[in-house]
Amino acid sequence: MTTALRRLRNYIDGEFRDAADGRTTEVVNPATGEAYATAPLSAAADVDAAMAAAEAAFPAWRDLIPAERQKVLLKIADRFEERAEELIAAESENCGKPVALVRSEEIPPMVDQIRFFAGAARMLEGRSAGEYMDGFTSIIRREPVGVCAQVAPWNYPMMMAVWKFAPALAAGNTVVIKPSDTTPASTVLIADIIGSVLDELGHSRGVFNVICGDRETGRLMVEHKVPAMASITGSVRAGMQVAESASKDLKRVHLELGGKAPVVVFEDTDIAKAVEDISVAGYFNAGQDCTAATRVLVQESIHDEFVAALAKAAAETKTGAVDDEDVLYGPLNNANQLKQVKGFIERLPAHAKIEAGGEQVGEKGYFFAPTVVSGLKQDDEIVQHEVFGPVITVQSFSDEKQAVEWANGVEYALASSVWTKDHARAMRMSRSLDFGCVWINTHIPLVAEMPHGGFKKSGYGKDLSAYGFDDYTRIKHVMTSLDG
């Protein structure tokens, strides 16, 4: 006897709809490896309908005074809190994430971030007006860009949806967002929440639309004539494809892509404290985080002691069922990702040593053991490329100059951290590290008020903060004659 799969639907212009041609794809719970739902495999007709809805809703939403958009976002944040348990259940099933961690580590910051951008809606600042030519006054208008096509990833589908829709709506844009084909459930639930708020407050539900589908669906969204901006969080390859597609009609592009964060540990560090924090920052969410602390560079004088402590911490770190409150992380998101992580381990060079883990665990699902790999060289594949799994690599460096060279010696430039008691050294390193974020004696905390975004192949544009809000606006110069 088979259990009927739940049916997820697109959300277009305030209605839940199947794909126009009826095609679907199965959605798998990574903790079990079994399908639990179907979702639309949207095609051109569905994208056209969503874009038309967002385009029609844009003028009225754009023209609202900021206080009214703030009211909507504050109500959405309240509704997230009221329906938190539904969101937690959807995200846990989406991703196999431990329920307790979704409740404590995702719901509170998401609500805070929505409320932050609700406030930002009323801070559309421009440079002061003035007379820069005799007889004329110039002013600056900051305006929304229009319809935004947004593509969210599978590692944090719910939180990344918030990072995208909250600043876009706050700035006066309308949205068509596509979740990953492996994790659509929580985004569809968010559509229900936002749609109900828009309806209650008398606004068009076409302001926010959700399209489910695969890479082809995303391509159709980015290449569509309606959106003025395309925003994606995803792989470098996906970002390059989006940038190329958007270039055909010069759409604005916002890219948050991969990372390979260096964690530079100097000999004066408190080893026990550093190992404890780095282990959490490396293994949280199964290492499926662009800022994860998975590339550790340790000064040679403490290398052996540090590696031993890190291997012990890995052995004590637990992965497992979503309802086990003692686990730090759940499974990898999908079978392809499990295959990718295994491949990195299988292709390790002879000089590498697996200090802990290195294998799949459990009889079902896509779980992988907390892993530590030492003895690595700067040009090794696992050092240069993003694993996106619970694998921490360790290299030994001699001095500050070499640490900087190796830390910067990758194609990614999203986040980094420095561990030292020497304030001057910390300041030198924060200046020298070529990454969008440098943490000192910590790794991975984020706040709504500060920007998140990188350089090089980690993309461009910022999430969170006033900088992230600005990315969803455009600047207009208005000049008026004083002669009347």
Side-chain angles (χ1 to χ4, degrees):
M1 183 176 179
T2 58
T3 303
L5 300 181
R6 184 155 23 108
R7 189 165 132 203
L8 304 173
R9 292 177 171 179
N10 292 331
Y11 185 81
I12 300 173
D13 204 15
E15 296 180 351
F16 284 101
R17 309 180 188 179
D18 294 324
D21 61 9
R23 292 193 303 157
T24 63
T25 183
E26 287 191 344
V27 185
V28 173
N29 183 333
T32 64
E34 299 173 354
Y36 70 90
T38 62
L41 189 55
S42 299
D46 309 296
V47 174
D48 286 343
M51 294 300 174
E55 185 177 36
F58 174 64
W61 184 252
R62 173 198 61 200
D63 293 342
L64 284 177
I65 62 171
E68 290 300 313
R69 291 198 297 271
Q70 180 190 48
K71 187 184 299 183
V72 172
L73 284 162
L74 290 174
K75 177 71 78 172
I76 291 170
D78 291 344
R79 199 60 53 82
F80 266 56
E81 287 185 322
E82 293 164 11
R83 299 181 66 176
E85 292 305 314
E86 294 175 68
L87 289 165
I88 292 164
E91 192 73 339
S92 180
E93 196 167 33
N94 249 349
C95 308
K97 295 184 180 184
V99 168
L101 287 174
V102 178
R103 182 178 291 114
S104 65
E105 303 300 323
E106 297 200 30
I107 296 294
M110 285 193 309
V111 171
D112 178 67
Q113 289 152 8
I114 296 170
R115 287 178 177 150
F116 171 83
F117 284 113
R122 300 179 73 165
M123 293 295 289
L124 283 165
E125 294 183 343
R127 293 181 178 176
S128 62
E131 289 69 48
Y132 304 97
M133 181 182 291
D134 289 340
F136 297 88
T137 294
S138 288
I139 62 174
I140 294 294
R141 290 182 57 89
R142 189 178 289 274
E143 302 175 337
V145 297
V147 175
C148 296
Q150 302 181 320
V151 179
W154 48 252
N155 59 331
Y156 291 100
M158 188 163 61
M159 187 177 291
M160 295 301 98
V162 168
W163 286 21
K164 294 189 180 302
F165 80 71
L169 297 184
N173 304 285
T174 54
V175 166
V176 178
I177 189 168
K178 187 190 87 67
S180 167
D181 55 342
T182 67
T183 55
S186 57
T187 312
V188 171
L189 179 55
I190 287 172
D192 183 54
I193 292 172
I194 293 178
S196 67
V197 170
L198 290 168
D199 197 40
E200 287 173 23
L201 297 181
H203 302 295
S204 169
R205 289 177 290 180
V207 166
F208 182 83
N209 306 270
V210 172
I211 290 286
C212 300
D214 58 10
R215 287 192 184 119
E216 175 63 13
T217 312
R219 184 189 66 79
L220 291 169
M221 287 174 58
V222 172
E223 293 185 357
H224 201 276
K225 64 181 181 179
V226 166
M229 178 176 178
S231 171
I232 178 175
T233 300
S235 67
V236 173
R237 181 184 67 174
M240 288 178 171
Q241 291 170 345
V242 166
E244 182 179 2
S245 295
S247 71
K248 295 174 183 177
D249 58 359
L250 296 180
K251 281 186 181 70
R252 184 180 297 197
V253 178
H254 183 281
L255 304 174
E256 199 277 273
L257 309 176
K260 194 67 179 174
V263 181
V264 184
V265 182
F266 287 95
E267 61 187 358
D268 61 342
T269 302
D270 180 334
I271 293 177
K273 181 67 167 59
V275 164
E276 179 183 358
D277 292 354
I278 291 167
S279 294
V280 172
Y283 296 133
F284 188 82
N285 202 42
Q288 297 170 127
D289 190 314
C290 297
T291 63
T294 55
R295 181 167 66 105
V296 178
L297 292 85
V298 183
Q299 197 155 20
E300 57 191 10
S301 58
I302 62 167
H303 174 268
D304 292 351
E305 181 182 358
F306 189 92
V307 168
L310 195 59
K312 182 174 183 293
E316 295 170 352
T317 299
K318 188 175 179 182
T319 180
V322 300
D323 56 355
D324 187 340
E325 296 192 0
D326 293 329
V327 306
L328 178 64
Y329 67 88
L332 296 166
N333 181 260
N334 53 75
N336 285 339
Q337 188 58 25
L338 175 62
K339 181 180 179 181
Q340 175 171 306
V341 174
K342 283 182 172 180
F344 275 102
I345 299 302
E346 291 166 358
R347 294 189 300 273
L348 283 173
H351 54 260
K353 180 182 179 183
I354 298 175
E355 303 280 354
E359 70 282 326
Q360 184 178 357
V361 295
E363 297 180 358
K364 60 181 181 179
Y366 311 130
F367 295 90
F368 201 83
T371 299
V372 177
V373 182
S374 68
L376 292 164
K377 299 179 181 179
Q378 181 66 10
D379 59 354
D380 287 336
E381 178 198 30
I382 201 169
V383 168
Q384 289 294 319
H385 297 283
E386 190 172 36
V387 179
F388 226 54
V391 179
I392 296 177
T393 65
V394 184
Q395 296 167 260
S396 174
F397 69 85
S398 58
D399 56 23
E400 189 174 318
K401 180 181 178 182
Q402 188 176 64
V404 170
E405 179 186 348
W406 286 358
N408 290 340
V410 293
E411 294 184 325
Y412 304 91
L414 182 58
S416 58
S417 64
V418 179
W419 300 74
T420 180
K421 295 176 183 176
D422 185 331
H423 177 74
R425 174 190 281 153
M427 291 298 96
R428 290 194 303 271
M429 291 294 294
S430 67
R431 180 185 62 189
S432 299
L433 288 171
D434 189 21
F435 296 84
C437 174
V438 180
W439 286 291
I440 298 174
N441 294 325
T442 188
H443 194 108
I444 227 166
L446 296 169
V447 292
E449 294 84 353
M450 290 293 111
H452 174 84
F455 316 133
K456 293 162 52 175
K457 286 191 176 178
S458 289
Y460 44 82
K462 299 295 183 184
D463 289 311
L464 303 177
S465 80
Y467 300 99
F469 180 64
D470 287 350
D471 281 353
Y472 286 95
T473 66
R474 66 184 190 181
I475 303 299
K476 178 186 286 183
H477 170 220
V478 179
M479 179 179 272
T480 181
S481 170
L482 298 180
D483 290 338

